Amino acid sequence: MPSPLYNTASIADMRLRARRRLPRAVFDFIDGAAADELTRMANEAGFARGRLSPRVAVDVSRIDTSVDILGFRSALPLMLAPTGLAGFYWPDGEIAAARAAAKAGIPFCLSTNSVASLEAVAGAVPSVKRWFQLYMLKDRALMWDMVERAEAHGYDTLCLTLDLAVQGRRDRDIRSGFTVPMKLSSASIADFAMRPRWLWGALRRPVAFGNFASVKGLGALSVAQFVGTLFDPTVDWAQVAEVRKRWRGPMVIKGILNPDDARRCVELGAQGVIVSNHGGRQLDQVPASIEALPQIADAVAGRAAVYLDGGVRRGTDLIKARALGADACLIGRPFLWGLSAAGEPGVDRVIDIFREELAIALALLGHPVFSAIRGDILVP
Ligand SMILES: Cc1cc2nc3c(=O)[nH]c(=O)nc-3n(C[C@H](O)[C@H](O)[C@H](O)COP(=O)(O)O)c2cc1C
């Protein structure tokens, strides 16, 4: 039987489906970004630049979309990015997304700020290639405990996010009064009442920060208050080096936009960097990820892996990112839109859209092997 999502043609279509199911404040928390959202828009618009040069008369009967991601043969050059509160958009959302990633043969990165705890996800989806994303916490005992829990539960790569020393100022969330859990007001009650299917799920699985179960009395906080209470704004390179020393597996540093910072990451022993502006959610007016990528790839110079996220919406975006130096990309909002629209089948569909778009693009470019793509595929 065809999936009821078969006529959801694109990631943009999936976004509209998510908008129909989610309360406005929740949709805006996912969709929105800092200030005027110029960087969020530039992330997507950046991929519209440059053209791909097709070759003809090439045998494209076998397409290979797979890539090596730190020793794992990923079926696609794609990972599910760490995103907080996935279980708020769909009951057990982190587990649904991890299952979809496992089926597709791509890595899944669990956020520090997940609703399901890292133990719950590992227990429910033992087969997924899992990364754990860490924020530096003020309470180092709590942080090292989380790191040890992640290691003990089979998260083999640590993704340390460094672009959230403080929370960015997101106008949409300030306007809606978004808190976790949501505070009830006449506006939020009216918003929820319009979305009974979401509300039913949210009532069955109350939202909480699953990895912080030991921290009592957090109450209904805005995400900015949560970050201000728990996250450490004093982090410097020495403290990053300390994390590198204590974590035994591969470590990837996320939130890099500057080539000198990328060099520092490599020097302190990171196996990869993620070129990212947090989907434009932190500081507006910083470069689009795809604009920052070439300089960072040059600075890293093959000494570590280079990944990119921000604005990846099409199979051809994966090809452009590869041409400009990325080994693979991560997606944040696209899979959250799929999750919010339809749960696990929604995430399956999002990954399928990328798979189909990528395979068709590789065939029509006369480049059957994704990993063989070089810069010369791009024309200005
Ligand atoms: C709702 C939401 C929550 C996020 N939470 C986290 C997080 O907890 N940790 C993190 O490192 N990045 C987080 N991010 C950023 C993503 O990992 C990623 O950098 C970003 O979404 C990529 O841009 P895209 O949404 O355009 O794909 C979040 C993004 C969104 C949209």
Side-chain angles (χ1 to χ4, degrees), residues 29-30 81-84 89 111 113 133 135 161 254 276 278-279 281 309-313 330-334 336:
F29 175 69
I30 298 173
T83 54
Y89 321 134
S111 162
N113 295 343
Q133 177 268 324
Y135 284 122
T161 299
K254 176 168 182 283
S276 173
H278 219 102
R281 297 163 73 81
D309 72 26
V312 176
R313 303 290 180 265
L330 299 88
I331 47 169
R333 294 181 187 86
L336 293 180

Side-chain angles (χ1 to χ4, degrees), residues 249-301:
M251 183 168 121
V252 169
I253 300 184
K254 176 168 182 283
I256 299 301
L257 290 173
N258 179 294
D260 289 334
D261 285 351
R263 276 186 209 99
R264 283 304 276 270
C265 295
V266 175
E267 282 157 19
L268 65 75
Q271 279 67 30
V273 297
I274 304 180
V275 180
S276 173
N277 47 43
H278 219 102
R281 297 163 73 81
Q282 284 298 91
L283 183 63
D284 203 14
Q285 312 249 4
V286 302
S289 303
I290 192 73
E291 288 166 5
L293 173 64
Q295 275 188 306
I296 292 178
D298 276 355
V300 169

